[in-house]
Each structure stands twice: as C-alpha cells, then as structure tokens.
Amino acid sequence: MDLLSKKCVPCEGGMPPMTEEEANKYLSETLGWKLADDKKSIGRDFEFKDFKESMAFVNAVAEIANEEDHHPDIYIFYNKVKLALSTHAIGGLSENDFILAAKINHLPLLPRA
Ligand code: HBI
C-alpha cells in the first residue's frame, strides 16, 4: 500500500475503527509512529534543535493537515513535539490517520530524533 499517493477521505462515521491487527499492518508503513495503549490513536514524538525548528515543523504539519482535512493533536514542548492521530467520527483509527502519518514522515523538516 502506498500511503503517500493516497488522499484522506471525509469521514463522518458509519464504519468501524481499525482492529489492532489492521493497525499493526499500517504501522509498518509509518516508521516511528506507535499505537496508543487504547488502540484508538497513533502517536509519534519528535525532537528538534530549538523552539524555532519545532514551530517550523508544526507549521508544515498544519499545511498538510489542512490539505488533507485531517488534523493531528499537536503538543509542543520547546524543542519537542508530540503528534497524535485518530478519526473522531469513529472513535478510533482509519486509513486517514496513516495517510497523514506517512505524509508527515515525508516532510523534509524531519528532525534528528
Ligand atoms: N481530523 N484527526 C482528525 N480526525 C477526524 O476525524 C477529522 C479530522 N479533521 C476533519 C474531520 N475529521 C472531518 O471534519 C472531515 O473528515 C469531514
């Protein structure tokens, strides 16, 4: 599956969230992302040189999120950024979450960590 070539689709519910087994298959395509303990989201931590680099990364993530109309939860701690993704309408994971994770992983701004 080439997640980078896919687009997020509008999701208003009506489908079950991914099972853990399905999610684990997608995780092999999204290096560095981890399944949350409740299996309802995926997350990744990033570390940068400083706050300015963190914000440049967050702004690049915001660009992709708006293009895909799928948005991560973003936590910024000076030079560290934590992203979390889930599909709200189904209360769990959908392919949208992994498409966005793959596109975030493809950003040229990726940090050393
Ligand atoms: N972003 N992470 C996340 N999860 C969602 O379910 C979501 C979203 N952004 C927009 C959105 N849902 C819906 O407004 C569109 O899919 C229609």
Side-chain angles (χ1 to χ4, degrees), residues 9-12 69-73 84-90 96-97:
V9 296
C11 177
E12 302 291 1
D69 193 23
H70 200 72
H71 309 85
D73 296 335
L85 278 163
S86 69
T87 300
H88 309 144
I90 62 173
N96 282 350
D97 300 303

Side-chain angles (χ1 to χ4, degrees), residues 7 58-72 100:
K7 292 286 287 177
V58 164
N59 283 308
V61 169
E63 282 296 316
I64 300 175
N66 285 330
E67 286 164 14
E68 297 293 332
D69 193 23
H70 200 72
H71 309 85
L100 193 61

Side-chain angles (χ1 to χ4, degrees), residues 18-20 22-46 73 81-86 92-94 97-98 101-102 104-105 113:
M18 269 190 197
T19 63
E20 182 176 357
E22 288 168 324
N24 283 329
K25 285 180 189 155
Y26 277 90
L27 280 174
S28 64
E29 301 274 324
T30 52
L31 189 67
W33 291 78
K34 302 281 184 268
L35 189 58
D37 292 344
D38 67 4
K39 320 301 180 200
K40 294 181 178 178
S41 65
I42 54 173
R44 182 174 175 184
D45 296 332
F46 302 84
D73 296 335
V81 174
K82 179 181 188 62
L83 302 181
L85 278 163
S86 69
L93 288 168
S94 73
D97 300 303
F98 293 92
I104 289 167
N105 277 5

